[in-house]
Amino acid sequence: MTCKRRNNGRNKHGRGHNKFVRCINCSRCVPKDKAIKRFNVRNMVEAAAVRDLQEASVYEEYAIPKLYVKLHYCVSCAIHARVVRVRSVVDRRVRTPPPRFRFTKKA
């Protein structure tokens, strides 16, 4: 039988069983190692309200807290929402992660 992926679409490798997580979009049960995971870091306050908060605040320097959310998608929802893309047979063999574009503050 031909093998579509080297890891069979999972990151299990030697573990017999994995716990399930629920997809955030459709609530499907997906094994934790198979789910597409994204870590989302956002400000608790949207950009428009930040200035209003700073003007109304008593403190001069106040770091607005951030929201940290780990998103779990099933494969079909991740493809539908374009979190991941379908790759050709040749590109599926490429295991290097895509370049990360990080936000850097200018000092």
Side-chain angles (χ1 to χ4, degrees):
M1 200 62 197
T2 56
C3 174
K4 196 170 186 182
R5 286 174 193 84
R6 178 177 166 171
N7 62 359
N8 299 316
R10 300 186 65 157
N11 191 19
K12 196 160 65 98
H13 302 302
R15 286 181 281 277
H17 189 75
N18 284 111
K19 298 271 190 203
F20 288 104
V21 292
R22 303 304 289 258
C23 171
I24 61 151
N25 192 34
C26 66
S27 299
R28 171 185 265 161
C29 277
V30 193
K32 189 177 179 188
D33 60 317
K34 186 174 188 168
I36 287 95
K37 296 168 277 293
R38 293 291 178 264
F39 198 68
N40 196 350
V41 181
R42 292 188 318 221
N43 286 326
M44 266 190 192
V45 183
E46 65 269 4
V50 170
R51 189 164 165 243
D52 297 337
L53 268 174
Q54 286 174 341
E55 288 173 358
S57 177
V58 179
Y59 303 108
E60 298 208 7
E61 287 295 317
Y62 178 70
I64 296 168
K66 294 188 181 297
L67 251 166
Y68 299 94
V69 183
K70 188 156 191 187
L71 308 172
H72 296 277
Y73 292 96
C74 65
V75 175
S76 56
C77 286
I79 291 169
H80 183 72
R82 298 192 184 118
V83 176
V84 290
R85 303 278 166 103
V86 176
R87 296 191 288 172
S88 68
V89 178
V90 178
D91 288 342
R92 262 182 235 144
R93 302 285 172 243
V94 178
R95 293 173 57 92
T96 56
R100 298 178 83 185
F101 301 106
R102 304 200 80 164
F103 176 74
T104 53
K105 284 187 179 177
K106 292 181 176 129

